[in-house]
Amino acid sequence: MNKNYFRIIRAGINSTFQDLGRKNLYHIGIPFSGAMDNRNYLLVNKLTGNNYDHPVIEFAYQGPHLKYHGDKINVAITGDVNFKIKKDKNFIDGECYQSFILENNDELDIISTNKSVYGYLAISGKFDLKFQWSSCSINTKAKIGSNNGEKLFVDQKIDVKEINKNFTNKRLDYVNTKIENIRVIKGTNFDYFSKESKKFFFENEFKVSKLSDRMGMRLEGKKIENFFETNIRSEGLIKGVIQVPPDGNPIIMLSDHGTIGGYPKIGVVISADYDKLVQLTPGSSIKFQEVDLNSAETLFKLYDLETQNLISQI
Amino acid sequence: MIKNISNLGDAALYCDFGKEVNKEINTQVIRYFKTIQKKNIVGVNNITPSYNKLIVSFDLKKINFSELKKIIENIEIIKSDSVRNKKFEIPICCDKEFSLDIKRLEEKLKINEEKIFESFFEKEFFCYMTGFIAGMPFLGDLNENLRAKRLDTPRVKVPKGSIGLTEQFANIYTFESPGGWNIIGRTPLNIFDSSKESEPNLINPGDLVTFKRITKEKYQNYNE
């Protein structure tokens, strides 16, 4: 029997185990999955002294409320998250980007993400998890990953099978910045759309719809008119692709997306902007800015350097 | 042969094999897929074959579009690796409660239910690709008289095992999922099994599939 474990008092809206996801399975219909916000995922693992492919708990909007039982353990939370630590009867305001210690009977109440969607909780040690295709990442639609492919649920026990006995406090001064524009490379069906729609796509704002999840982000705004063909032969998709179905409202493919789709691709979000894109909450405005492939590659190098730089500061 | 290679975003290659969809072109796509898979090119993290396109996505930290494009352009296709042709007979029940769109199809296609099923069950299908949801096979080609468009508004939930038709293709919903295809029946067979990691899909690209009609009683008592 495991003597160290978390008991879930409240599961939160969409709490799942995630890591770097799965590769080379698109051809059988299985997407990457993995942590939506890669930078915050890497940072939470560095703060707890883990490897970069270590399973963590990802939560959306409202996170889980957990009670810990066992030997003391170092944990950390990243994102823009409001949470409290309960020790005896005292509630302490938690701080993101800083490791802290939980002891037997302590509680961790992850109340909400602030003006963002996803946050991450890591422990300095290992959850006892089953892997599928060498990843713990839960894809609730395909019922794949740890926890039988289900999100975390109330009263569930999460066993901790290993604790790193290194309790040094690690921290990082970091503020999640908001993004003004999402940069996009023209899609392979860009010319399916009317001149006005193409212009509108890059000049006006869209709103993020409530119907957004780990699979996709739906946008609302003026309809994108398609004058050529509203369906294409079904073909492969990747994350970041912006498809426009016949109703004219764009959908951006996110980490759990269907691997094949039959709607025209108006654009693809550049890799450098993906982490910020996924953090946009329903109701947020979104504006697209066109960039070419060379700029996108340079912007990715900058994004990666910045991430490495943050990691090295911990 | 690949007619054109372009970039899909900054981390994927879009290989276009032309506009047509037929078994010969699709076999080419699958050959490329298998060759690239065997090559284990550093940075490539997914290869997605479809009817007449192949998308190769990669890790931008390890390789970029122009480097990968050069490799793919100069790749020597393994011809000996013939596309495998396993054969399957899939049992399906077409009782009213399972053939959700049969009435709509009668109207759209202007032929009656019996003719629809007759035309469907006489056919041997070729699996062009799998995907959208895990393990879903895209099977072609339907006889001309069965080709209909997708539903105007897709269903939020299509039941697991449903067989759908659209345009020249049939598919099988491997688990409950949203979808817009015209549903004509349901199979009790498990088409995708995530516990078999090395071979989770029953049907793979290149396989041949026929359907066999079963009664509701058989459907209910079906044991794999």
Side-chain angles (χ1 to χ4, degrees):
Chain A
M1 279 303 287
N2 258 298
K3 61 171 181 155
N4 304 310
Y5 64 93
F6 289 90
R7 176 76 67 187
I8 298 187
I9 298 170
R10 183 195 66 237
I13 289 172
N14 193 13
S15 308
T16 55
F17 290 107
Q18 296 294 340
D19 52 24
L20 290 173
R22 308 180 172 83
K23 287 181 205 169
N24 293 314
L25 294 165
Y26 269 18
H27 62 283
I28 58 170
I30 298 176
F32 275 101
S33 297
M36 296 285 278
D37 179 341
N38 194 253
R39 179 180 283 173
N40 273 313
Y41 164 77
L42 296 174
L43 293 177
V44 82
N45 269 327
K46 178 74 190 212
L47 285 162
T48 41
N50 297 323
N51 291 334
Y52 298 131
D53 58 354
H54 207 78
V56 306
I57 293 175
E58 177 186 274
F59 46 88
Y61 309 108
Q62 182 201 51
H65 180 177
L66 307 153
K67 183 161 185 172
Y68 180 63
H69 302 269
D71 299 335
K72 70 173 184 173
I73 189 168
N74 223 350
V75 302
I77 288 176
T78 58
D80 186 358
V81 184
N82 173 16
F83 68 97
K84 287 192 190 311
I85 306 152
K86 189 182 172 196
K87 286 184 180 288
D88 295 324
K89 276 170 190 156
N90 304 316
F91 284 93
I92 306 156
D93 286 333
E95 254 186 75
C96 293
Y97 301 100
Q98 176 165 185
S99 68
F100 53 94
I101 288 166
L102 288 181
E103 290 170 294
N104 192 32
N105 288 324
D106 284 356
E107 288 176 26
L108 185 56
D109 186 2
I110 303 172
I111 298 159
S112 66
T113 51
N114 302 315
K115 292 177 189 155
S116 59
V117 182
Y118 298 101
Y120 296 88
L121 163 67
I123 60 167
S124 181
K126 282 184 178 158
F127 295 116
D128 189 9
L129 299 177
K130 275 190 192 142
F131 287 66
Q132 264 183 313
W133 290 282
S134 29
S135 165
C136 75
S137 291
I138 294 175
N139 175 341
T140 54
K141 295 274 163 35
K143 302 254 185 295
I144 290 172
S146 301
N147 218 31
N148 298 317
E150 302 283 356
K151 50 189 184 183
L152 302 186
F153 49 89
V154 174
D155 277 343
Q156 184 183 349
K157 194 173 154 223
I158 303 169
D159 287 328
V160 175
K161 67 172 182 188
E162 225 177 279
I163 294 178
N164 294 340
K165 297 217 160 38
N166 181 349
F167 300 106
T168 46
N169 177 267
K170 292 184 183 181
R171 57 171 297 138
L172 170 72
D173 284 315
Y174 179 59
V175 181
N176 286 280
T177 49
K178 280 265 144 191
I179 198 157
E180 302 277 314
N181 293 326
I182 295 290
R183 290 162 293 192
V184 163
I185 293 177
K186 277 187 203 165
T188 40
N189 310 112
F190 191 69
D191 290 329
Y192 278 38
F193 301 92
S194 68
K195 213 173 160 189
E196 294 72 38
S197 284
K198 285 193 265 196
K199 198 164 164 249
F200 172 80
F201 183 72
F202 286 118
E203 280 181 2
N204 291 274
E205 288 186 345
F206 292 91
K207 272 218 155 57
V208 177
S209 142
K210 276 181 203 151
L211 296 169
S212 299
D213 56 17
R214 283 185 48 98
M215 277 185 97
M217 179 183 278
R218 286 167 189 265
L219 303 178
E220 291 163 347
K222 195 178 138 187
K223 278 189 182 178
I224 301 290
E225 267 172 51
N226 182 319
F227 75 110
F228 188 69
E229 184 63 76
T230 54
N231 276 252
I232 56 168
R233 289 261 182 244
S234 293
E235 60 182 39
L237 292 171
I238 55 168
K239 67 181 195 180
V241 163
I242 308 168
Q243 293 194 101
V244 183
D247 69 8
N249 294 317
I251 304 175
I252 312 179
M253 299 296 109
L254 302 182
S255 303
D256 286 351
H257 67 85
T259 57
I260 281 175
Y263 298 128
K265 301 168 167 75
I266 195 169
V268 188
V269 174
I270 66 168
S271 300
D273 286 353
Y274 188 79
D275 288 351
K276 292 199 170 162
L277 171 78
V278 301
Q279 293 288 12
L280 293 172
T281 52
S284 304
S285 296
I286 185 167
K287 198 175 173 207
F288 296 116
Q289 183 192 333
E290 191 193 338
V291 293
D292 62 16
L293 178 59
N294 275 334
S295 320
E297 287 173 350
T298 310
L299 288 164
F300 181 77
K301 278 190 189 122
L302 289 173
Y303 156 85
D304 190 44
L305 272 176
E306 199 183 309
T307 307
Q308 297 309 324
N309 184 30
L310 287 166
I311 286 173
S312 68
Q313 286 172 39
I314 296 172
Chain B
M1 282 292 119
I2 298 177
K3 294 230 162 74
N4 183 45
I5 296 181
S6 54
N7 66 301
L8 180 62
D10 55 19
L13 223 80
Y14 182 86
C15 309
D16 191 350
F17 288 71
K19 287 210 167 91
E20 269 180 85
V21 174
N22 58 47
K23 283 178 208 172
E24 289 66 40
I25 288 173
N26 186 248
T27 304
Q28 284 284 338
V29 175
I30 295 169
R31 284 218 174 100
Y32 262 92
F33 163 70
K34 293 202 166 178
T35 306
I36 299 168
Q37 207 177 27
K38 282 223 174 90
K39 275 239 160 188
N40 277 325
I41 304 165
V42 174
V44 167
N45 56 25
N46 261 308
I47 317 161
T48 322
S50 57
Y51 304 125
N52 53 0
K53 306 278 187 292
L54 183 72
I55 292 174
V56 185
S57 60
F58 54 87
D59 182 346
L60 200 40
K61 271 198 230 178
K62 296 181 180 149
I63 196 165
N64 67 24
F65 173 73
S66 60
E67 290 161 355
L68 186 58
K69 186 175 176 222
K70 256 179 227 150
I71 298 175
I72 305 279
E73 277 169 346
N74 294 311
I75 216 162
E76 213 169 294
I77 292 306
I78 309 166
K79 290 232 168 73
S80 57
D81 185 25
S82 65
V83 172
R84 56 177 230 167
N85 270 167
K86 273 198 191 173
K87 289 192 176 195
F88 294 98
E89 190 183 66
I90 306 294
I92 68 173
C93 177
C94 299
D95 263 44
K96 264 187 211 150
E97 63 176 295
F98 301 141
S99 56
L100 307 173
D101 297 311
I102 195 73
K103 291 283 167 246
R104 191 194 330 261
L105 278 176
E106 280 187 321
E107 276 169 37
K108 274 190 191 170
L109 302 169
K110 306 206 164 35
I111 50 173
N112 65 28
E113 189 178 321
E114 259 166 68
K115 277 264 184 298
I116 293 174
F117 288 131
E118 194 186 299
S119 176
F120 177 76
F121 283 105
E122 71 174 28
K123 195 78 192 175
E124 183 178 62
F125 292 90
F126 173 81
C127 178
Y128 281 93
M129 59 180 173
T130 53
F132 173 57
I133 55 173
M136 177 189 268
F138 287 72
L139 309 165
D141 298 334
L142 286 169
N143 289 334
E144 299 269 355
N145 61 350
L146 293 187
R147 299 181 181 183
K149 287 201 165 182
R150 290 177 178 81
L151 308 188
D152 292 336
T153 307
R155 285 195 172 81
V156 177
K157 285 177 180 177
V158 179
K160 178 185 172 175
S162 293
I163 283 72
L165 310 182
T166 202
E167 293 165 355
Q168 75 201 69
F169 309 102
N171 72 5
I172 308 173
Y173 286 86
T174 45
F175 47 87
E176 186 185 271
S177 143
W181 293 39
N182 301 282
I183 306 301
I184 59 150
R186 200 179 297 176
T187 179
L189 208 63
N190 212 12
I191 309 290
F192 174 78
D193 183 352
S194 66
S195 68
K196 296 177 186 158
E197 285 194 18
S198 61
E199 187 107 39
N201 288 5
L202 181 68
I203 304 164
N204 288 285
D207 289 346
L208 299 170
V209 174
T210 50
F211 292 94
K212 185 184 146 199
R213 194 163 177 178
I214 57 168
T215 60
K216 196 172 166 188
E217 202 187 350
K218 258 209 166 140
Y219 175 92
Q220 281 160 342
N221 301 320
Y222 194 84
N223 290 311
E224 280 177 49

